[in-house]
Amino acid sequence: MEKQGKKKVLKASKVLDIRFSEVDSMNVVWHGSYMLYFEDAREEFGRQYQLEYLRIADFGYYAPLVDMQFHYRKPITYGMRPRIDIIYRPTLSAKIVFDYEIHDPETEELMASGTSVQVFMDKNYQLVWSSPEFYEKWKQMWGVGEEI
């Protein structure tokens, strides 16, 4: 967790090992691999901040992705070990929003960025319009409940 001024920032990082199966014939990471990298980052965030998928399910909810965006800035190639950062974006809505940045391991140059949005569904697959109680408590615990 970092602080930017008075604002608390929940952030996690993970080093990615680019595998041969993730690149195309030009030796550049295939666009579909970015979804997996973002998923790896979400799992790392969940471990660090107690917001794992199974924990959400234990409270009686699912958190499906409803929007994901990628912005490519520089090719990532086989053998690189870029770092992905995931940053939680507080919102008043009943959703979980993350921003992502993938940085070159040697220059720190931004190679890709993106955003994802997850909503809450109950165990009957019905959309939940207000934040579940456990999520409100989670935001309070980490000090991000009132910041927008």
Side-chain angles (χ1 to χ4, degrees):
M1 180 168 46
E2 299 177 9
K3 278 195 170 188
Q4 291 179 348
K6 292 182 179 182
K7 193 175 184 181
K8 289 184 181 179
V9 177
L10 301 185
K11 176 181 174 180
S13 298
K14 179 180 180 64
V15 173
L16 302 169
D17 288 306
I18 306 304
R19 302 176 311 158
F20 183 74
S21 62
E22 298 166 346
V23 300
D24 60 21
S25 61
M26 298 178 291
N27 200 36
V28 173
V29 167
W30 175 66
H31 65 276
S33 296
Y34 286 84
M35 292 178 71
L36 297 173
Y37 301 155
F38 286 15
E39 180 69 32
D40 288 345
R42 283 192 303 280
E43 287 184 353
E44 182 62 29
F45 183 93
R47 276 191 290 277
Q48 287 187 29
Y49 294 102
Q50 295 84 50
L51 195 62
E52 301 97 331
Y53 290 122
L54 292 178
R55 184 177 178 91
I56 293 170
D58 287 345
F59 282 104
Y61 298 93
Y62 300 118
L65 283 163
V66 294
D67 187 35
M68 184 173 291
Q69 298 177 27
F70 305 91
H71 305 280
Y72 308 98
R73 291 176 166 74
K74 182 180 175 186
I76 300 174
T77 58
Y78 174 64
M80 290 183 87
R81 299 193 74 227
R83 182 189 76 248
I84 186 167
D85 299 325
I86 180 172
I87 303 101
Y88 173 79
R89 189 191 314 165
T91 177
L92 291 174
S93 302
K95 59 186 175 183
I96 305 171
V97 180
F98 288 113
D99 295 311
Y100 306 84
E101 294 181 348
I102 300 177
H103 291 270
D104 185 296
E106 297 178 16
T107 66
E108 287 300 312
E109 184 178 3
L110 183 63
M111 303 179 81
S113 61
T115 302
S116 68
V117 178
Q118 294 167 265
V119 296
F120 292 101
M121 289 189 332
D122 64 23
K123 292 290 178 118
N124 293 316
Y125 303 100
Q126 298 301 307
L127 186 62
V128 176
W129 291 99
S130 20
S131 288
E133 183 179 349
F134 88 89
Y135 185 54
E136 288 299 321
K137 288 181 180 179
W138 178 87
K139 291 192 289 186
Q140 290 173 356
M141 178 177 75
W142 291 103
V144 294
E146 300 301 320
E147 301 169 9
I148 304 303

